[in-house]
Amino acid sequence: MASQKKQIRNQPRKFDFDNYGFFYQKNNFEGLYKFVLIVLSILVLVGSEIRIGYLIFSPNGGTTNPSYPYFLIVTLVLDLLVIVMLSIALFSRRKHLDNGDGIKYLLEEEKSYRVVENFSSSGSVSIQTNQVRTVIEEVDDYGNPIIYAEELFDDEEDIFVSDALSTAIVKEKEKTYSELVEDLNKTFLDYGLNGNLAEALLSSMVFSPMIFARDIAPYIKTIFRALSNPNYFIHYSENNTIASEKTLYSAFEYAKSNPDSPIFIYIDEIPSKEFLNYMRPLYAYIDNTSDDYYISSQGLTFFIPHNVYFLVNIKKDDIIYEISRRYLRYIPILRCDIKEVDASNEAKPFILSNNDLKNARRNAHDSFSLSESTYKKMDNLFALTNEANGYVLQNKIQRKIEDYTSLLLSINMSEDDVIDNVLSNAIIRAAIISAEPQKLKTEYNIVRLIENEFGSDKLKETKAVVKEYISLFDKNGGRNNA
């Protein structure tokens, strides 16, 4: 027998109480209609009874009144009309449903079908709701397509599959540090800067919101063009502090309104000896970025947003070691190798978001960390610096080290290079500042300890920083060329 060409209908399964009563269709005006009939009936009854009473009990009334028989007949007719109207209002039903109309008082439930080549899920082609797509591979005797459809059910397995797919989609949207570094370096290259600027910038940002940017000073304008993030410039003003700069508050206002966008403030020509006093209004925030802090200026108080990064540069020929250790321990050095090349005509700025940075940081923490043996070597190094000059590695600095190293490990940098990078760029300068620097070469030989712990051919950059600091002083601890 040839099959008929028609859509697959969902079978009715649920009673439609909203539009139907039992075996009759509801009408929105049905209640009003009955109410009007009842009111009219009551008015007619009351009127007729009042009239009869008047005829009987009036001085000239009674059954002998000539009008009595006629009025009685009219009253009886009206009473009969009232009875009919009340019967219609109280006992009538709406028109019954026609069998030919189908079972209208049952609702169709929405179901999903899978069009398949046969009744096996292995041949599924697509998933549809309330409609059927034509499958032309198989037709009946009349040329009409034969459709095989299987109903889909929301069982437990499907729910888990949906959750897994949803999770996979979210994961695809999250960028890792490796992807961010690759994309950002490509953008810098399009703008004419070839090198490792991306990893240097991002690792400095995870360590602190205040970054020493002397090495990138010649390229700062190009860097800001390559980033779509807003940027601001502030030049050091003598006899003032950073709190007197109006540009600072413009940056704060924008940052507060755009929390997902890192905002960069470049501050240059700060004398290293005046660094602490000039930047003092921001010290509490730099000291503990997890809390909320405010800065006051001209009687007004401003909130310091957590998405502001300060790229600072000191005066030419000044040395970084003259910055107070209180500040220096929170200032990583943005040090990188940059070579200028021809810029691309199709260069487009990179959109750096805090959401991407947060996701990348979480993923890096989950998968990458220094080995226990490396931590023990670092503990020995910090024990020696503590003995030499009282330096203490605080817990908040240790957490910053974890953020810094997990980022570099996640971009496939070797552990030895990671340690050399974090020590030389973010830790060792604050750790070796001493009132008796000459002892760092003799009594507290940090270079020798580094070679004993990590190997004579390891941590070259860190050893170079230690030697640079020691070279600033003579054998008695006095400043050379002071």
Side-chain angles (χ1 to χ4, degrees), residues 138-295:
E138 190 174 356
V139 296
D140 60 18
D141 296 339
Y142 298 97
N144 298 321
I146 298 176
I147 298 170
Y148 300 97
E150 294 179 348
E151 184 176 353
L152 299 177
F153 296 94
D154 248 351
D155 56 18
E156 186 175 356
E157 182 178 355
D158 289 333
I159 294 174
F160 286 130
V161 170
S162 297
D163 288 344
L165 290 174
S166 176
T167 303
I169 292 173
V170 172
K171 288 294 183 182
E172 288 176 0
K173 294 180 180 179
E174 293 184 359
K175 289 186 177 181
T176 63
Y177 276 135
S178 180
E179 293 168 331
L180 288 173
V181 166
E182 181 180 358
D183 293 343
L184 185 52
N185 270 333
K186 184 179 182 304
T187 300
F188 286 138
L189 181 61
D190 289 341
Y191 279 83
L193 301 178
N194 185 23
N196 60 338
L197 177 57
E199 49 263 52
L201 175 62
L202 296 184
S203 58
S204 297
M205 289 172 64
V206 300
F207 189 86
S208 173
M210 183 169 289
I211 303 165
F212 188 69
R214 169 171 283 181
D215 284 5
I216 66 168
Y219 318 105
I220 193 67
K221 292 183 179 179
T222 304
I223 291 172
F224 284 159
R225 284 201 306 271
L227 293 171
S228 65
N229 305 71
N231 53 82
Y232 301 81
F233 287 79
I234 296 177
H235 296 283
Y236 170 79
S237 298
E238 191 177 359
N239 301 322
N240 289 318
T241 68
I242 189 67
S244 63
E245 301 291 347
K246 294 181 180 179
T247 303
L248 181 70
Y249 304 107
S250 298
F252 284 176
E253 286 300 314
Y254 186 92
K256 187 170 63 174
S257 302
N258 299 271
D260 190 46
S261 178
I263 310 301
F264 295 98
I265 302 176
Y266 181 75
I267 311 172
D268 67 348
E269 293 298 314
I270 309 173
S272 56
K273 293 182 179 179
E274 298 297 325
F275 192 95
L276 178 61
N277 290 331
Y278 183 72
M279 303 296 289
R280 188 184 298 276
L282 296 174
Y283 178 77
Y285 172 67
I286 302 300
D287 183 56
N288 188 4
T289 54
S290 60
D291 288 341
D292 292 340
Y293 290 96
Y294 298 81
I295 185 172

Side-chain angles (χ1 to χ4, degrees), residues 409-422:
L409 289 171
S410 70
I411 61 173
N412 297 321
M413 187 178 289
S414 69
E415 188 166 274
D416 287 336
D417 289 340
V418 168
I419 292 301
D420 196 17
N421 196 302
V422 69

